[in-house]
Amino acid sequence: MRGESTRRGFLGLAGGAAGAVLLGSCAKGGETKRPRKGGTVRAVFPGAGAKETLDPHAQRQFVDIARHKAVFDKLVELNGTLHPVPRLATRWETNAEATVWRFELRDAAFHDGHRLDADDVLYSLARILDPDAADHKAKSSLSIIDLRRSRAISGGRGVELVLKRPNAELPSLLAMTGTAVVRRGYRDPSRPVGTGPFQFRSFTAGRTFIARRFDDHWAGPPHVDELRILSAETEARGNAVQAGEVEYAHEMSPTFARVVRGNSKVRIVATPGSGAEGFALKTDRPPFDDPDAAMAMKLLADREKLVNTVLGGKGELGNDIFGRGFEYYPENVPQRGRDVEEARRLLRKSGALNKEITFYTATIADTFVDSAHMFAEQAAEAGLRIKVTTGPPESYFTDMLKTGTIGSHRSGAMPIPTYLSERFLSDSPQNATAWHRPDFDEQFVKAQSETDEKKRTELYRDVQLHLRDTGGLVLWGHPDWLNAVSTKLHGVKPAPPNTLEWARFDTVWLG
Amino acid sequence: MARHALRRVSLAVVQLAALAILIFLLTALLPGDAAEVAFNEQASLEQVAQLRTQLGLDRPLADRFADWAGALLSGDLGTSLIGGEPVGGIVARSLATTALLACVTAVLLVPLSLVLGLVMGLREGGRLDRALSAVMLALNSVPDFVLALVAVAVFALRLGWFPSTWLDAGAADLLTRPGLLVLPVAVLLARTVCLLARQFRAGTIAALHADYVVQARRLGVPRGRLVLRHVLPNAAVPGVQELARTGDQLLGGVLIVEAVFAIPGSATALVDAVQGRDVPVVQALTLLLAAVALAFNVAADLVSHRLAPRTEVLR
């Protein structure tokens, strides 16, 4: 069991030194007052129409995750540095090989009065791993759990999970999206019964979700009586929060942040470096099967210009490593700069100069198309011709696994080991850089099974530097995460998406 | 008249059948399918393949068409590929809101443009006519989305008179919050009123200069009766034909208005369905919207035929 990491102190101390960038005039007003009870909080997220679901194991969209978070709890959550912290599991321990894990369960009540026990946890895991459920999000990452050998312990107050192969990151995997603990026997997704801070009332996909305060929540009842989580497009979210029709608007643009600067009704809660923007170079085909050609791309990217233009200055420079500020991020790695001369030399050496390369992107986000075109211009300075083509946005992330030599890449916040294992192992489901290196796989597995935290951190450092220097990822920026909040709403903390404090409405109150 | 109506309606049925085939083929041409789209950024090729088999998307096109057309003829619109809800329910729910918007707009549209057109036509070249014409020309050249955004910025955000969105509200809330309708309907009306009123104005002017009106005036028919009995029915003809075209334009306007104001109508449902590649919903909504547009055109043809039988629409 590890201690709480406090490397990034801004989660606990909004308005503190480094992390919390709070724009708007009334940013700090009222945050220290005692929370007031009552009222309805309306939060609006980007919608996904009929795709929105109440099934907490099938979730894909932020709006779903926020709704499920209100109704359900997980065994473990992630804090601001993506380090696992206790929720329904109060503590955990593992054997020396990281193959058997024991979790102690909290005394928590479901909304129907049933008390949480090991059977609920085992039922939830079995439901997630259901072979017939194609859409269960955590299925592949939790498939290392051997359910037949896992069992209840301490008279149902604990659970022992046996793994098929060693993994020291199991708590993080149990904190990922799609891992909520449901009541045993849960079958009808339209009637969710959880242990979460809000009790489900109603739901219309693509529109609304209403939940009421749950007074018996194990962490104490929420401050507000009612929570409404709504779906809307960018324009409507911006208008609604400005007009006072909602109190919280998720995922706003740098442009919107500029518009409401000085607005007395709305403030922006920004979480720095909450994700990653980059280019994926396909390393299984020329020219990027030669690491020199890939390195040339990393040296050609003008990161400063990309961050200032494409992200509107709301972000930090990337250093071709995912997860700045997160647990296991290698310290003291010099920032990679631009070196056109060296890039030209490497390109000439690998024979890639004066050949045309296809950059396959889509209009999923403005950042994708903008950064692709800007990079094409930057690469042209070294005599490299990049042709930007755009595909249909809806199926881009499936298409790009097969198409193009360079692709657009982005990622939200997640633990570094999860990011690496889903994208850079030979059998990774989203291997966008087509990175198939048995020696890398081996290196990663060794790090993942190391139970000594210090040694593990060292091993992960080597894994990440290996990828940074020879792999196909050009990670040029870490965008800030921008949410707009009514100045009437208090207690909203900056937090990377999918972490404990993100989209958390049981600790907010109306002033 | 009856023969004319029968011919016109049977032609519409043939058109609708052709449209159904076209819609099916066009939706089959959409890049990507529901399985590919479902997983968003977390797609793995195996999961996509598994879901594709579950949804029956890997079956041959001809088989899928036969199933779809067969079900359609028996009135079954199929089930959604996302969530498995019957398409009929999704369509009915979304169309109800759009129909409400359209009805409120239509109820205001015709009298408003008729009165405006008549007033302008009767004062042809006068100060009022010139002023109204200038305003209409200006309004007509502003795209719907610009008008919608400006209306929100001014009347919702700055003045706070009306809600800026339908977030957290639906058609059922209109009785308690009628203010929800004001901005969307105003935007929908703005351009269509301009178009229609100018047609009515032209019709009025043409009718006023027609020989029979000149003759009626010479015979001393009172002005009120002259306008209502002799000018109005003929003045309305170009307007009624324009009204059918306005119907098509309204559909386009509704799309924008629903997006800006976050209204849960058929346009929103259609956009969601296209984005999710929920083909049965796309097909059903497109077909129904096409049927409505066809019905509008048939009705307009028949009404103008009745108003002025000499206009032979269908040769």
Side-chain angles (χ1 to χ4, degrees):
Chain A
M1 166 100 212
R2 288 170 281 183
E4 286 256 338
S5 172
T6 50
R7 204 177 337 144
R8 240 186 164 193
F10 65 80
L11 277 174
L13 299 161
V21 178
L22 297 170
L23 302 175
S25 53
C26 296
K28 286 159 196 107
E31 294 290 321
T32 51
K33 279 187 214 149
R34 262 190 64 200
R36 213 174 58 96
K37 296 267 169 207
T40 297
V41 165
R42 295 159 298 180
V44 60
F45 287 71
K51 273 208 269 180
E52 293 172 12
T53 174
L54 277 183
D55 188 332
H57 297 150
Q59 57 191 214
R60 303 275 153 200
Q61 325 285 340
F62 282 133
V63 65
D64 291 332
I65 300 171
R67 285 168 179 160
H68 302 148
K69 189 174 202 165
V71 177
F72 298 98
D73 287 311
K74 298 176 193 168
L75 287 175
V76 181
E77 279 277 10
L78 299 169
N79 69 7
T81 63
L82 285 284
H83 179 83
V85 290
R87 293 294 283 170
L88 287 180
T90 50
R91 52 183 298 275
W92 51 84
E93 58 190 21
T94 175
N95 63 355
E97 295 80 39
T99 49
V100 179
W101 287 81
R102 287 165 168 247
F103 293 82
E104 194 177 280
L105 298 180
R106 192 181 292 283
D107 181 25
F110 279 91
H111 300 153
D112 63 354
H114 170 72
R115 311 300 296 192
L116 170 79
D117 64 24
D119 286 345
D120 299 311
V121 175
L122 292 169
Y123 179 87
S124 303
L125 290 172
R127 189 174 185 276
I128 293 166
L129 296 173
D130 180 0
D132 295 332
D135 59 347
H136 284 184
K137 166 83 181 81
K139 196 162 90 170
S140 73
S141 61
L142 292 185
S143 62
I144 50 158
I145 298 175
D146 186 346
L147 270 182
R148 276 172 312 173
R149 286 158 62 211
S150 302
R151 62 195 178 98
I153 51 169
S154 327
R157 298 309 320 140
V159 61
E160 182 180 278
L161 300 179
V162 181
L163 304 190
K164 293 174 186 162
R165 51 180 184 276
N167 193 325
E169 305 295 345
L170 183 65
S172 290
L173 297 181
L174 289 171
M176 293 302 296
T177 55
T179 56
V181 174
V182 298
R183 192 192 185 297
R184 61 173 176 264
Y186 169 78
R187 271 188 197 89
D188 181 3
S190 65
R191 264 185 299 227
V193 175
T195 58
F198 292 93
Q199 248 177 306
F200 171 75
R201 279 298 162 91
S202 70
F203 168 66
T204 313
R207 290 299 290 174
T208 57
F209 161 92
I210 304 176
R212 294 285 297 176
R213 192 185 71 208
F214 178 50
D215 285 325
D216 291 331
H217 188 237
W218 55 268
H223 301 311
V224 295
D225 292 337
E226 191 176 272
L227 173 65
R228 293 178 176 225
I229 297 183
L230 316 168
S231 315
E233 290 318 303
T234 316
E235 202 63 52
R237 290 202 301 283
N239 289 338
V241 74
Q242 287 186 81
E245 290 157 24
V246 298
E247 285 75 33
Y248 178 101
H250 191 252
E251 224 178 318
M252 304 309 292
S253 65
T255 317
F256 181 80
R258 271 198 300 277
V259 168
V260 296
R261 190 181 295 165
N263 187 319
S264 63
K265 290 182 194 157
V266 181
R267 68 190 170 100
I268 296 289
V269 176
T271 309
S274 298
E277 291 279 346
F279 311 130
L281 316 173
K282 294 259 182 301
T283 55
D284 64 343
R285 63 198 72 168
F288 302 123
D289 50 355
D290 179 354
D292 281 345
M295 179 55 79
M297 297 293 114
K298 297 170 195 168
L299 294 173
L300 279 176
D302 188 339
R303 292 152 205 260
E304 221 153 297
K305 215 173 194 173
L306 283 163
V307 168
N308 283 334
T309 315
V310 178
L311 302 182
K314 297 246 179 285
E316 295 166 8
L317 297 193
N319 198 14
D320 300 330
I321 308 172
F322 172 81
R324 167 164 295 186
F326 299 166
E327 188 178 39
Y328 306 129
Y329 187 84
E331 304 288 336
N332 306 319
V333 180
Q335 171 66 47
R336 185 163 274 156
R338 192 159 194 248
D339 191 341
V340 180
E341 272 318 303
E342 174 65 5
R344 193 177 289 137
R345 190 187 71 78
L346 290 170
L347 286 172
R348 196 172 294 128
K349 193 174 145 213
S350 66
L353 215 55
N354 300 319
K355 285 195 185 124
E356 192 175 78
I357 301 177
T358 315
F359 193 135
Y360 183 67
T361 185
T363 53
I364 293 189
D366 295 340
T367 55
F368 274 23
V369 183
D370 293 355
S371 61
H373 283 286
M374 185 168 256
F375 182 60
E377 281 170 29
Q378 293 171 357
E381 288 177 39
L384 189 70
R385 276 180 299 145
I386 294 180
K387 190 178 144 212
V388 178
T389 58
T390 50
E394 292 91 341
S395 55
Y396 176 73
F397 289 104
T398 321
D399 298 340
M400 71 93 66
L401 294 175
K402 301 164 276 183
T403 316
T405 313
I406 310 179
S408 297
H409 175 81
R410 73 170 175 193
S411 174
M414 62 178 74
I416 288 171
T418 310
Y419 175 82
L420 293 173
S421 73
E422 286 181 358
R423 287 165 185 77
F424 295 98
L425 301 184
S426 298
D427 58 352
S428 288
Q430 299 138 41
N431 196 338
T433 58
W435 181 244
H436 306 286
R437 298 287 188 281
D439 59 327
F440 181 84
D441 296 353
E442 220 169 276
Q443 200 182 5
F444 179 81
V445 170
K446 199 173 150 211
Q448 200 184 31
S449 354
E450 176 56 60
T451 48
D452 182 87
E453 191 177 338
K454 214 172 143 216
K455 275 193 211 153
R456 188 165 66 237
T457 309
E458 271 306 307
L459 288 170
Y460 273 134
R461 180 189 171 90
D462 297 343
V463 169
Q464 292 177 83
L465 294 184
H466 179 174
L467 190 67
R468 176 178 185 263
D469 293 333
T470 58
L473 178 67
V474 184
L475 204 156
W476 54 262
H478 300 280
D480 292 354
W481 194 265
L482 305 173
N483 293 335
V485 175
S486 154
T487 44
K488 282 188 209 145
L489 186 68
H490 304 275
V492 177
K493 296 166 187 166
N498 300 335
T499 60
L500 177 59
E501 298 296 335
W502 169 83
R504 187 172 183 187
F505 298 105
D506 59 326
T507 51
V508 301
W509 70 94
L510 292 162
Chain B
M1 179 68 197
R3 254 185 70 144
H4 176 75
L6 192 68
R7 270 201 300 172
R8 193 65 192 84
V9 170
S10 27
L11 181 69
V13 170
V14 175
Q15 283 172 323
L16 195 61
L19 266 173
I21 295 169
L22 197 65
I23 287 168
F24 185 87
L25 292 176
L26 283 176
T27 47
L29 283 180
L30 277 174
D33 62 26
E36 268 178 351
V37 171
F39 293 100
N40 215 354
E41 273 162 80
Q42 296 104 18
S44 83
L45 295 175
E46 289 133 49
Q47 278 181 315
V48 169
Q50 193 185 352
L51 188 63
R52 185 172 291 145
T53 312
Q54 271 181 18
L55 295 175
L57 297 173
D58 48 356
R59 295 166 58 232
L61 189 69
D63 288 8
R64 281 185 280 147
F65 179 73
D67 284 0
W68 178 71
L72 194 64
L73 287 176
S74 64
D76 177 12
L77 294 172
T79 48
S80 161
L81 296 181
I82 303 162
E85 199 190 337
V87 171
I90 299 175
V91 168
R93 216 169 31 223
S94 62
L95 273 181
T97 310
T98 303
L100 185 97
L101 265 185
C103 286
V104 174
T105 308
V107 162
L108 295 170
L109 173 65
V110 176
L112 200 63
S113 26
L114 200 58
V115 169
L116 278 172
L118 210 58
V119 167
M120 286 161 74
L122 292 174
R123 308 261 167 97
E124 188 196 350
R127 207 175 287 168
L128 187 67
D129 179 34
R130 289 206 308 268
L132 282 174
S133 290
V135 170
M136 284 182 176
L137 205 64
L139 262 184
N140 202 14
S141 47
V142 181
D144 284 345
F145 72 94
V146 173
L147 201 62
L149 293 178
V150 170
V152 168
V154 175
F155 296 104
L157 300 186
R158 189 155 292 258
L159 299 171
W161 290 353
F162 307 108
S164 75
T165 64
W166 282 37
L167 275 183
D168 203 17
D173 296 294
L174 288 176
L175 287 178
T176 49
R177 294 168 65 192
L180 283 167
L181 268 179
V182 176
L183 292 183
V185 169
V187 171
L188 282 176
L189 275 176
R191 288 184 71 197
T192 38
V193 163
C194 298
L195 275 177
L196 216 53
R198 280 166 42 188
Q199 291 293 334
F200 284 132
R201 173 184 178 273
T204 308
I205 292 167
L208 279 173
H209 293 293
D211 291 346
Y212 65 93
V213 173
V214 176
Q215 176 66 5
R217 201 181 275 159
R218 220 176 273 148
L219 291 175
V221 177
R223 189 174 161 81
R225 212 178 123 189
L226 184 82
V227 169
L228 286 179
R229 267 281 173 79
H230 303 282
V231 175
L232 194 58
N234 289 288
V237 174
V240 169
Q241 278 164 355
E242 182 68 26
L243 193 61
R245 279 191 287 277
T246 313
D248 301 342
Q249 209 182 28
L250 264 182
L251 282 180
V254 165
L255 197 85
I256 286 154
V257 162
E258 285 188 5
V260 171
F261 294 96
I263 297 171
S266 56
T268 308
L270 191 59
V271 171
D272 282 346
V274 170
Q275 277 172 357
R277 296 292 184 269
D278 197 350
V279 170
V281 177
V282 177
Q283 288 164 340
L285 275 171
T286 321
L287 197 60
L288 279 170
L289 291 176
V292 170
L294 271 177
F296 259 125
N297 278 294
V298 172
D301 273 0
L302 296 180
V303 169
S304 45
H305 188 74
R306 178 77 193 82
L307 281 176
R310 67 183 177 283
T311 31
E312 183 58 68
V313 184
L314 189 80
R315 271 179 234 279

